[in-house]
Amino acid sequence: MTATQAAGERRVVGNVMRGSLGNLIEWYDWYVYAAFSVYFAKTFFPSGDSTAQLLQSALVFALGFLMRPIGGWLLGQYADRAGRRTALTLSVTVMAAGSLIIAVTPSYHTIGIAAPIILLIARLLQGLSLGAEYATSATYLSEVATPGKRGFYSSFQYVTLVAGQLTALGVQIILQHILTSEQMNSWGWRIPFVIGAAGAVAIMWLRRGMDESSHYEAAASDASAPEKKRGSLRVLLEYPRECLVVVGLTLGGTVAFYTYTTYMQKFMINTSGISKGTVAWINFIALLAFVVIQPLAGALSDRIGRRKLLLFFGITGTVCTVPIMTVLAHTSNPVAAWGLMMLALLIITGYTSINAIVKAELFPTKIRALGVGLPYALTVSIFGGTAESIALALKKAGHESVFFYYVAGCIAISLCIYYFMRETSATSVLEAERADDATQEGTAKVPVA
């Protein structure tokens, strides 16, 4: 590698780190709400039944989730028109505002009905931000990554996503050991939101120093593609096949992801009968290992192609989900439970490690952020956001095993998409754009992945 190439690679790494760290902070802020709702629910809602207070806080959480498609739409358009760096900076700024509002809002006892209203507004801002973050960061990471390493670099989106969840859990564990229960309920729960707001502000300044995507700059300077034709719904409608592919490949992945990472914890407690403390450690260790294998799978996709990993997830997820969940339901041994969860996470890695780059490789620059963000956010809100509710409803009705088949069925639908879709890494719009740029500059075409 020449000195110029090494310097270029270091610049890519710096841009990827700044983009990824922002993703970590955003997901930390998102998960902190769920982790600490048991402490702050009584602060924002009328005193009385604690279960009712938790349900009210859960409703606010769900409404925030529904804002993700709107965020994917609004800031997806903004990213395609104003630039990836600008949109990413705005996204983390909005998240910081949401966290700070929650941290400083007085209690229901002090300001009455205004307290839950302000909490809802803050959570809607966070949902808006998170919907924008996925699409824009996926687009940015794919565009700034070194050719031949896009799978590897793009995998850091899920590395930081899960790392945000682990960080929120870690902060909770530390505060529980430092503060008393009374202190946690009174004011201690505000600390993680202050941390999130401060972290988001720091990332906002870091992102201001990122390089803009060269793909976006080339599109912005193209006189034949004026700004009004970038990032609009009218332009997006010109790519119906690509939008349906995003929905199809996301469907099974999002249901499996929320089942294997989020619902699995409640499943081990309520069905397997494992203690809460033990389950917390099972999840922490399993998710930590899950983080480590994401870049390995992303790098593998650069060598063998994205489609093979998606097929691995589709086939094994369809075949193995029901047996894994069935055996886990009758397992009380912590080591065995961890092994089953790791098997499930290994399967879902075929999707999580590369789903962002696959979607980005489907769309041209002028519509990439909106094309990735809107169909994805809609699918996640409809299917991923409802996975846990469906599971709990079926358990309450005495038909818990039906949920296992529901997850397998959703994965099977996505498997059909994976089977018929073309390989993207060597035929992507990203590579065609790079080749066109090289030709216009009078240089040789860059080899594709």
Side-chain angles (χ1 to χ4, degrees):
M1 180 182 291
T2 65
T4 302
Q5 289 175 324
E9 190 71 17
R10 286 195 296 270
R11 200 166 188 86
V12 168
V13 171
N15 288 323
V16 169
M17 289 299 295
R18 284 189 284 264
S20 298
L21 285 174
N23 196 48
L24 186 154
I25 287 294
E26 294 235 14
W27 282 99
Y28 163 84
D29 284 334
W30 182 255
Y31 282 117
V32 154
Y33 181 99
F36 286 86
S37 62
V38 66
Y39 295 108
F40 68 71
K42 62 183 66 176
T43 300
F44 289 102
F45 300 100
S47 60
D49 185 1
S50 60
T51 301
Q53 292 171 337
L54 287 173
L55 284 173
Q56 288 168 320
S57 65
L59 177 60
V60 173
F61 181 87
L63 290 173
F65 210 97
L66 293 176
M67 286 296 291
R68 290 177 62 176
I70 299 176
W73 168 48
L74 290 177
L75 269 79
Q77 291 186 92
Y78 185 67
D80 285 329
R81 295 182 179 184
R84 321 308 191 200
R85 180 180 59 192
T86 303
L88 283 170
T89 303
L90 176 60
S91 171
V92 77
T93 303
V94 173
M95 182 62 80
S99 292
L100 186 60
I101 289 171
I102 295 174
V104 302
T105 299
S107 67
Y108 182 90
H109 178 73
T110 303
I111 61 174
I113 192 65
I117 292 175
I118 293 173
L119 175 66
L120 175 60
I121 292 172
R123 196 58 182 170
L124 293 179
L125 286 174
Q126 289 188 321
L128 192 76
S129 171
L130 198 66
E133 176 70 21
Y134 176 88
T136 311
S137 63
T139 298
Y140 182 77
L141 291 177
S142 68
E143 290 178 349
V144 301
T146 308
K149 294 184 179 180
R150 288 202 178 97
F152 171 74
Y153 284 123
S154 295
S155 70
F156 282 89
Q157 185 170 47
Y158 263 83
V159 168
T160 49
L161 187 158
V162 179
Q165 184 177 3
L166 288 171
T167 303
L169 179 60
V171 170
Q172 184 182 42
I173 291 172
I174 292 171
L175 289 177
Q176 285 173 338
H177 280 80
I178 294 176
L179 304 177
T180 65
S181 178
E182 291 74 17
Q183 289 172 328
M184 286 290 290
N185 283 289
S186 176
W187 54 268
W189 63 265
R190 297 182 186 272
I191 295 175
F193 289 100
V194 173
I195 293 173
V201 170
I203 295 300
M204 177 185 71
W205 286 105
L206 280 176
R207 283 185 165 180
R208 288 165 61 91
M210 292 191 310
D211 294 329
E212 181 54 89
S213 158
S214 60
H215 287 261
Y216 172 78
E217 290 180 333
S221 63
D222 186 357
S224 65
E227 180 180 338
K228 66 180 181 180
K229 289 189 177 182
R230 299 200 306 269
S232 68
L233 287 175
R234 179 175 296 181
V235 175
L236 183 62
L237 291 176
E238 297 175 7
Y239 300 88
R241 178 188 174 279
E242 287 79 2
C243 289
L244 290 175
V245 169
V246 171
V247 171
L249 66 86
T250 302
L251 171 59
T254 188
V255 171
F257 177 76
Y258 281 101
T259 298
Y260 295 160
T261 63
T262 304
Y263 176 65
M264 191 74 87
Q265 184 172 8
K266 297 179 179 65
F267 182 79
M268 289 182 190
I269 296 170
N270 296 330
T271 301
S272 304
I274 304 173
S275 68
K276 292 181 181 179
T278 302
V279 168
W281 278 109
I282 290 172
N283 275 256
F284 188 88
I285 296 171
L287 289 175
L288 190 60
F290 182 57
V291 165
V292 172
I293 62 178
Q294 299 306 298
L296 301 178
L300 180 62
S301 79
D302 289 323
R303 289 181 171 272
I304 68 173
R306 326 290 187 216
R307 183 170 171 270
K308 290 184 177 67
L309 264 69
L310 290 172
L311 287 172
F312 163 77
F313 160 65
I315 294 170
T316 55
T318 300
V319 173
C320 297
T321 293
V322 173
I324 288 173
M325 299 297 286
T326 301
V327 174
L328 184 58
H330 298 88
T331 298
S332 58
N333 184 290
V335 177
W338 177 84
L340 289 167
M341 183 174 182
M342 275 309 307
L343 178 58
L345 292 177
L346 179 62
I347 290 171
I348 190 65
T349 295
Y351 165 80
T352 55
S353 62
I354 59 168
N355 83 94
I357 185 62
V358 171
K359 293 162 190 171
E361 288 175 335
L362 292 171
F363 295 94
T365 300
K366 64 181 179 180
I367 199 67
R368 185 168 291 132
L370 181 60
V372 171
L374 184 57
Y376 166 83
L378 284 170
T379 309
V380 170
S381 295
I382 295 170
F383 294 98
T386 59
E388 185 172 315
S389 299
I390 292 172
L392 292 172
L394 287 170
K395 179 176 177 61
K396 186 175 182 180
H399 302 289
E400 186 174 33
S401 62
V402 174
F403 178 69
F404 310 162
Y405 290 93
Y406 168 75
V407 177
C410 290
I411 298 174
I413 293 173
S414 289
L415 175 59
C416 295
I417 302 297
Y418 307 151
Y419 182 80
F420 289 105
M421 70 181 290
R422 66 176 183 271
E423 178 60 76
T424 62
S425 59
T427 59
S428 69
V429 178
L430 279 162
E431 294 299 351
E433 289 172 348
R434 184 176 289 275
D436 287 343
D437 291 344
T439 300
Q440 291 171 6
E441 294 170 6
T443 61
K445 294 186 178 181
V446 178
V448 298

